[in-house]
Amino acid sequence: WQLGFQDAATPMMQGIMDLHHDIFFFLIQILVFVLWMLVRALWHFHYQTNPIPQRIVHGTTIEILWTIFPSIILMFIAIPSFALLYSMDEVVVDPAITIKAIGHQWYWTYEYSDYNSSDEQSLTFDSYMIPEDDLELGQLRLLEVDNRVVVPAKIHLRIIVTSADVLHSWAVPSLGVKCDAVPGRLNQTSILVQREGVYYGQCSEICGTNHAFMPIVVEAVSRKDYGS
């Protein structure tokens, strides 16, 4: 019912999903315990059940316990989350392919800079959303583009993200990527698509009136198909 994550296509997204499920396990336990405490307190301290309440100022033991246990839980959550955060910021030193994504109002421009023999012969193309009236059977509304970003699967990629006008954000949920596009600044991220397929994303920054109409489509193919 579109309540969970999309299927992970990169190790980073798989790590994000695993961390989410692990933390959710702790959250369910905490939720059950707190609800049990609330119901127990309401039941035992109701004015009909206990008309003459005891005047307890504080209990040192329980205050120590409810300070230590949450700290331990936070420590168990922090250790894997820090490892994941550092992994997300880690950039591949020698990527096989570098792709530059430039955000415009309201479309994306992609540049395969590895194949540039000169500025006049750079491999650059614009990627516009296909209007609803022009969609073919099976294409997704508000997500299909005229020119997809074609990348090889199972190869380290570096994505350089910038903007030509206002703030944008290059985000593809299945790849675990969300990178801000800032005018005058180059941000970069690394991805390793583990399987072939088509992955959809959208600009995740409110960049103007047509913010919802600049989708991202990444198509991962085999090395042979990418070469051809």
Side-chain angles (χ1 to χ4, degrees):
W1 295 339
Q2 298 181 354
L3 295 178
F5 292 102
Q6 297 182 13
D7 293 336
T10 62
M12 205 58 60
M13 187 60 195
Q14 188 63 52
I16 294 172
M17 293 174 62
D18 292 341
L19 179 65
H20 171 270
H21 297 337
D22 293 341
I23 293 177
F24 205 78
F25 172 76
F26 285 107
L27 290 180
I28 294 298
Q29 290 185 325
I30 294 171
L31 177 65
V32 171
F33 176 72
V34 172
L35 285 177
W36 176 77
M37 290 289 290
L38 286 173
V39 172
R40 184 177 174 87
L42 291 173
W43 175 262
H44 285 286
F45 292 94
H46 193 266
Y47 71 95
Q48 293 180 346
T49 305
N50 191 13
I52 304 176
Q54 295 180 354
R55 297 186 176 274
I56 299 176
V57 178
H58 63 267
T60 305
T61 304
I62 193 171
E63 289 182 3
I64 293 175
L65 289 177
W66 72 36
T67 302
I68 292 177
F69 277 110
S71 301
I72 296 175
I73 293 173
L74 289 175
M75 184 182 65
F76 275 106
I77 294 174
I79 293 173
S81 65
F82 285 156
L84 182 63
L85 281 172
Y86 282 114
S87 299
M88 293 174 67
D89 287 336
E90 190 72 21
V91 177
V92 177
V93 176
D94 188 19
I97 297 172
T98 298
I99 300 174
K100 187 176 182 180
I102 306 171
H104 299 270
Q105 292 179 314
W106 285 272
Y107 64 96
W108 293 95
T109 297
Y110 297 99
E111 178 181 328
Y112 288 70
S113 55
D114 293 334
Y115 312 111
N116 291 358
S117 56
S118 66
D119 292 339
E120 291 78 15
Q121 297 179 349
S122 62
L123 183 55
T124 305
F125 59 89
D126 296 330
S127 181
Y128 290 89
M129 186 191 76
I130 298 178
E132 187 174 354
D133 297 336
D134 298 334
L135 289 175
E136 299 178 359
L137 185 63
Q139 290 185 327
L140 302 178
R141 175 178 173 269
L142 299 180
L143 288 177
E144 294 291 348
V145 297
D146 54 358
N147 292 311
R148 294 176 173 178
V149 184
V150 180
V151 300
K154 300 179 182 179
I155 286 182
H156 288 283
L157 310 172
R158 176 172 59 187
I159 310 295
I160 296 177
V161 184
T162 187
S163 173
D165 36 53
V166 298
L167 291 174
H168 298 280
S169 184
W170 200 81
V172 184
S174 291
L175 305 182
V177 176
K178 181 177 287 186
C179 188
D180 289 340
V182 182
R185 179 184 177 89
L186 292 177
N187 291 329
Q188 62 179 345
T189 184
S190 300
I191 59 175
L192 173 64
V193 186
Q194 293 182 304
R195 53 186 169 85
E196 300 176 25
V198 181
Y199 308 100
Y200 296 90
Q202 288 180 304
C203 176
S204 295
E205 187 69 51
I206 302 177
C207 55
T209 181
N210 289 329
H211 150 70
F213 306 105
M214 51 181 304
I216 303 160
V217 182
V218 177
E219 182 177 358
V221 298
S222 64
R223 298 187 186 184
K224 181 180 178 180
D225 292 339
Y226 178 79
S228 61

